[in-house]
Amino acid sequence: MFLSVFDMFKVGIGPSSSHTMGPMVAAARFLDLLRKAPFSVAGVKASLHGSLAFTGVGHATDRATILGLAGFLPESYDRDKADAALAQIKATKTVTPDGLPALRFDPETDLTFDFGPNLPGHANGMILSATDPQGDVILQETYYSIGGGFVMTQAELDAGKDTDDGAPVPYPFKSAAEMLEMAKTSGLSIAEMKRANELSRRSVSDLDAGMRRLWQVMNDCIDRGLENDGILPGGLNVKRRAKGIHEKLLAERGMNLTAPHTINDWMSVYAMAVNEENAAGGQVVTAPTNGAAGVVPATIRYYLDHVPGATASRVPEFLLTAAAIGGLVKFNASISGAEAGCQAEVGSASAMAAAGLCAVLGGTPMQIENAAEIALEHHLGMTCDPVKGLVQVPCIERNGLGAIKAVSAASLALRGDGTHFVPLDSAIETMRQTGADMHEKYKETSLGGLAVNVPNC
């Protein structure tokens, strides 16, 4: 089992990795299919199913799908160009992706929200179709956005392509128990094993440059969030709070009477800054998803800004360790809120952040595994119930609390020797079972929980 650090952390756009990035990526894959097709295509259609339908408008799934069919990609997304393209598509009722003729596409009639039963493969399903000049469907593909920006076709799911089929890696652990045994046998840290696995697939320069970019985008996102204020889009009239909280924290610096628990506000404000940017459709790094994008960067920023002796040179170690834990969660359970609730998103992110922080604070592999388990265990059962289908309430504050739990989990683990009662593998399996048993209305459909108990009109 191998999932790259660049699988677990992807540069993309808000507000959702599964509902915004995934559909855009799916549309890009469909365009590639059309470019290879032996026949002439005149138009395209799209239908959104399951959670993509129920919360699609709040997550900008319709916008992402349209732009994806026009050739836009998350990693190179330009907001101004996208706005201009959308206006042109609505006026001309055509999309003009590179390498294909102008294709008939009317957003009003050719993009549909299907609120019927889910498609069989996953709660986040979409069907993309190509039509001939008469409007008859001549090519069709089903895609599933399975969380964190990952996209698969029905055939790929059926064939088990959600597992790695690349060249062998030196340390192919698929469970925490295997990871710890390999660390013990090799004498390497989790980050060192993960780095060796990465280097079996890419060069040193590509790996190091890629991780530098990941942290740069994360840190820039925090800074933008701390500088911007105003009302977030979507109709809830949620006010950005990170800037105001940050200004108050700066004003209190150096005061003798500041309470020790104020450090929690610093962790929260870093995370909230990211998730306010995400909610506004800004550039973020999935970590492992957009809805949970604030936890890992907030924990890194806490480490760099508030921990004596911290150094930016250890950020790659943090990311590699976090990615190793995230890969275990994704492989053995889920990182998708539509599949397993928010325990799979913020819970996974908190476990990843706890592991990364424990590593850079000198933790052993056993302590790192313990830190991840503590953080994940105390998110078990958490539902995904965004008010009005927007990644705002309770998502923004929830990332702050996820970062606080991550730091607490790492600290507790470092106080012990790594031995503990509940193995990380057991916590991950419990999360999988809990997600399977969780009612669909609590899994990113906005049909239960806070989404129906808070007035939002």
Side-chain angles (χ1 to χ4, degrees):
M1 191 280 295
F2 174 74
L3 285 166
S4 172
V5 65
F6 304 113
D7 290 325
M8 301 312 301
F9 300 110
K10 300 185 185 76
V11 176
I13 56 168
S16 172
S17 49
S18 60
H19 287 57
T20 315
M21 288 175 60
M24 189 177 286
V25 170
R29 289 189 59 182
F30 189 64
L31 292 180
D32 286 338
L33 198 62
L34 297 186
R35 293 183 184 105
K36 299 174 184 176
F39 38 76
S40 178
V41 177
V44 288
K45 295 177 180 287
S47 61
L48 306 174
H49 301 258
S51 181
L52 294 186
F54 282 107
T55 62
V57 173
H59 288 79
T61 308
D62 46 353
R63 175 187 173 96
T65 303
I66 296 168
L67 290 171
L69 290 172
F72 282 77
L73 291 169
E75 60 266 26
S76 57
Y77 179 79
D78 184 298
R79 182 61 180 259
D80 292 336
K81 291 180 179 177
D83 289 343
L86 278 174
Q88 185 176 17
I89 292 167
K90 291 176 181 178
T92 63
K93 296 179 173 51
T94 60
V95 290
T96 55
D98 290 341
L100 288 166
L103 302 174
R104 185 172 57 246
F105 179 80
D106 184 349
E108 295 295 323
T109 58
D110 293 326
L111 176 64
T112 59
F113 291 81
D114 189 323
F115 299 102
N118 292 351
L119 296 178
H122 192 275
N124 294 332
M126 61 191 299
I127 298 173
L128 299 178
S129 307
T131 58
D132 63 15
Q134 289 74 44
D136 296 324
V137 174
I138 54 176
L139 182 65
Q140 184 171 286
E141 186 60 272
T142 298
Y143 295 94
Y144 295 103
S145 180
I146 61 173
F150 292 88
V151 171
M152 303 188 72
T153 64
Q154 183 69 59
E156 288 169 343
L157 277 178
D158 293 342
K161 291 295 184 180
D162 54 337
T163 56
D164 179 54
D165 57 1
V169 297
Y171 303 99
F173 52 84
K174 60 181 182 294
S175 69
E178 290 182 0
M179 178 183 72
L180 290 177
E181 182 59 32
M182 287 183 184
K184 180 179 179 181
T185 302
S186 67
L188 299 177
S189 69
I190 294 171
E192 287 169 336
M193 292 192 298
K194 182 66 176 167
R195 183 175 178 85
N197 288 346
E198 295 287 342
L199 292 177
S200 71
R201 303 291 181 88
R202 56 180 45 84
S203 68
V204 172
S205 58
D206 285 347
L207 176 61
D208 291 343
M211 288 194 290
R212 282 195 300 271
R213 182 173 185 242
L214 287 176
W215 171 237
Q216 187 66 58
V217 174
M218 287 180 178
N219 201 37
D220 288 348
C221 186
I222 293 175
D223 289 340
R224 288 196 311 273
L226 295 178
E227 293 167 359
N228 291 327
D229 56 14
I231 303 298
L232 292 171
L236 282 183
N237 293 319
V238 171
K239 184 180 179 181
R240 285 179 179 251
R241 298 163 58 201
K243 180 181 179 182
I245 294 172
H246 187 236
E247 288 173 348
K248 290 179 180 178
L249 288 169
L250 289 174
E252 293 171 3
R253 265 185 167 174
M255 294 176 62
N256 293 331
L257 298 180
T258 301
H261 65 248
T262 300
I263 192 61
N264 290 335
D265 298 340
W266 281 100
M267 293 181 233
S268 291
V269 80
Y270 295 145
M272 291 170 66
V274 172
N275 286 85
E276 287 176 357
E277 281 294 294
N278 179 63
Q283 187 182 59
V284 298
V285 174
T286 64
T289 65
N290 282 32
V295 179
V296 167
T299 307
I300 296 176
R301 185 71 172 257
Y302 158 77
Y303 163 71
L304 292 175
D305 288 4
H306 300 277
V307 175
T311 171
S313 65
R314 301 198 72 172
V315 170
E317 180 183 357
F318 188 117
L319 293 174
L320 288 166
T321 306
I325 299 301
L328 293 177
V329 176
K330 185 183 186 306
F331 181 76
N332 293 296
S334 176
I335 58 170
S336 167
E339 195 170 36
C342 198
Q343 59 173 354
E345 296 207 24
V346 170
S348 298
S350 189
M352 293 165 65
L357 181 62
C358 188
V360 298
L361 292 179
T364 66
M366 288 180 62
Q367 289 172 318
I368 291 167
E369 184 261 359
N370 188 13
E373 185 279 324
I374 294 170
L376 184 60
E377 178 182 337
H378 298 291
H379 283 89
L380 291 176
M382 182 173 282
T383 60
C384 181
D385 50 357
V387 177
K388 205 178 179 182
L390 300 170
V391 192
Q392 298 179 17
V393 179
C395 319
I396 295 171
E397 285 183 354
R398 185 168 288 176
N399 275 255
L401 274 292
I404 291 170
K405 284 186 181 181
V407 174
S408 296
S411 183
L412 283 174
L414 287 166
R415 296 289 183 183
D417 62 3
T419 58
H420 55 106
F421 190 78
V422 179
L424 175 59
D425 288 329
S426 296
I428 292 173
E429 173 59 16
T430 301
M431 189 185 81
R432 186 194 66 77
Q433 294 176 6
T434 303
D437 292 339
M438 189 180 290
H439 195 287
E440 292 299 317
K441 69 182 181 180
Y442 297 117
K443 294 194 281 190
E444 209 169 357
T445 59
S446 291
L447 297 176
L450 287 176
V452 299
N453 287 296
V454 175
N456 58 76
C457 57

